[in-house]
Amino acid sequence: MALISDLSTQILQMLLVLALAPLLTGFVRKVKARLLRRQGPPLLQPYRDLVRLARKEAVVAHSASWLFRFVPYLVFAATWVAAALVPTFATGLLFSWSADLIAIIALLGSARFFLGLAGMDVGTSFGGIGSSREAMFATLAEPAMIMIVFTLALVAGSTQLSTMAGFMTSPAVGLRVSLGMALIALVIVAIAENGRVPVDNPATHLELTMVHEAMVLEYSGRHLALIELASWLKLLLYVSLISCVFAPWGLAHDGDGLPAHAIGVLAYFGKLAVAGLLLALFETTIAKMRVFRVPDFVGVALMLGFLAVLLRFVSASL
């Protein structure tokens, strides 16, 4: 009976992140439109876009290989698994032993690698430009993410997210400069990884400024629907990761009853709403930077993560 309950909770989390990912994107778009004094698209427009794309036929170029057809399913599966591993409303779930930050980074890196290959597979100039830019950003974003993981592991003593969330709620965490650096670095990495302003503009289709859109320009139909849903899941993943590690309040623990899990779900909704508001406010108050300025922006996250690791080593040796 306990196994069935744990499995049901784990499946609920997987379905919850899948259902809320389009809603978070629609909420950010709506808030941005309101801040710009426009009506904006409906809140549920991303769901309608998915249904519309799923009904359309997938048009594939003659020069595309089997990899081009396979990548959307792989990217979606890897991103969904990674997003489902991050604790959202409860810790200590059935598969919490696999909710390791290094494993999540590996899943996201695999999805990015294959998506970059798919962008170059057809042989168009835009796909090659988007893939090369994505690879350039990843060379700084991934090391920065590793530095953040090292910092959190040195503080919490583990790379397992449930352990980190439990430590962050304890009085032993205190106020640490290294955690503040890691938080700022993680926010920068999240912006870069999701192609948000100022790194990229997900609403633009200008050929010379596209990054993510250039890689998926040749996709259509159900393939494009899976890639779009994977990108929305990735945004939800980073919001969930930041809230799990740096704002773990309201998370239900292993053995808690139904009321605690209900409170955890409500707290998670509140965290998503706050994150959506902050993201929309940030994107409406800052302009997109030039592509060749992005490495400097992401490099700040790498330096902050490196300094946070050094600070933890120095404080541990004293």
Side-chain angles (χ1 to χ4, degrees):
M1 190 65 182
L3 179 61
I4 296 176
S5 177
D6 293 340
L7 184 60
S8 301
T9 307
Q10 184 68 64
I11 293 175
L12 175 62
Q13 173 163 296
M14 295 183 67
L15 296 177
L16 185 66
V17 296
L18 186 63
L20 290 181
L23 184 62
L24 176 61
T25 300
F27 179 71
V28 173
R29 292 175 180 174
K30 191 69 174 180
V31 174
K32 286 178 63 177
R34 289 298 186 182
L35 291 175
L36 296 174
R37 296 187 177 183
R38 295 188 289 107
Q39 183 176 359
L43 189 63
L44 303 180
Q45 186 62 42
Y47 297 99
R48 300 176 183 175
D49 294 339
L50 289 179
V51 174
R52 174 177 53 84
L53 290 173
R55 290 176 177 176
K56 289 186 175 181
E57 180 183 1
V59 179
V60 181
H62 294 290
S63 59
S65 66
W66 62 270
L67 182 67
F68 186 83
R69 300 173 175 86
F70 176 70
V71 162
Y73 302 97
L74 189 147
V75 171
F76 169 71
T79 309
W80 187 18
V81 170
L85 289 178
V86 180
T88 55
F89 63 90
T91 60
L93 298 181
L94 184 61
F95 296 135
S96 61
W97 56 271
S98 61
D100 190 278
L101 264 178
I102 298 178
I104 292 174
I105 294 173
L107 286 171
L108 294 178
S110 300
R112 182 192 301 108
F113 172 74
F114 283 103
L115 189 60
L117 287 181
M120 296 184 295
D121 183 69
V122 181
T124 60
S125 58
F126 290 144
I129 290 174
S131 298
S132 63
R133 289 174 177 175
E134 184 72 14
M136 178 181 66
F137 300 160
T139 55
L140 292 174
E142 288 189 357
M145 193 66 189
I146 293 296
M147 290 294 103
I148 295 169
V149 172
F150 285 166
T151 303
L152 296 176
L154 290 172
V155 172
S158 174
T159 57
Q160 210 268 342
L161 286 174
S162 294
T163 304
M164 286 185 183
F167 179 80
M168 290 298 179
T169 55
S170 65
V173 61
L175 293 176
R176 301 173 187 257
V177 178
S178 58
L179 288 179
M181 292 181 176
L183 174 59
I184 298 174
L186 184 56
V187 171
I188 295 175
V189 170
I191 293 172
E193 289 280 358
N194 288 280
R196 311 297 302 191
V197 179
V199 175
D200 189 18
N201 188 357
T204 186
H205 286 84
L206 297 175
E207 291 83 354
L208 297 179
T209 62
M210 291 189 298
V211 180
H212 174 77
E213 294 294 330
M215 290 190 295
V216 303
L217 201 60
E218 298 297 323
Y219 279 108
S220 61
R222 63 181 182 276
H223 294 161
L224 184 57
L226 289 174
I227 291 177
E228 288 293 325
L229 183 55
S231 66
W232 300 340
L233 280 168
K234 193 175 183 180
L235 176 62
L236 182 74
L237 183 153
Y238 276 97
V239 172
S240 302
L241 181 61
I242 294 173
S243 64
C244 171
V245 176
F246 296 100
W249 307 293
L251 286 173
H253 300 285
D254 188 19
D256 291 343
L258 185 61
H261 285 80
I263 293 174
V265 172
L266 293 177
Y268 182 59
F269 284 174
K271 294 172 187 177
L272 290 182
V274 172
L277 286 171
L278 293 177
L279 179 59
L281 182 61
F282 176 77
E283 290 189 343
T284 52
T285 54
I286 194 169
K288 183 185 179 302
M289 64 178 62
R290 296 176 61 188
V291 174
F292 298 106
R293 296 283 303 277
V294 174
D296 297 334
F297 177 71
V298 185
V300 173
L302 178 59
M303 288 298 101
L304 285 175
F306 184 69
L307 290 175
V309 173
L310 288 181
L311 187 60
R312 286 303 308 150
F313 275 119
V314 171
S315 61
S317 60
L318 293 180

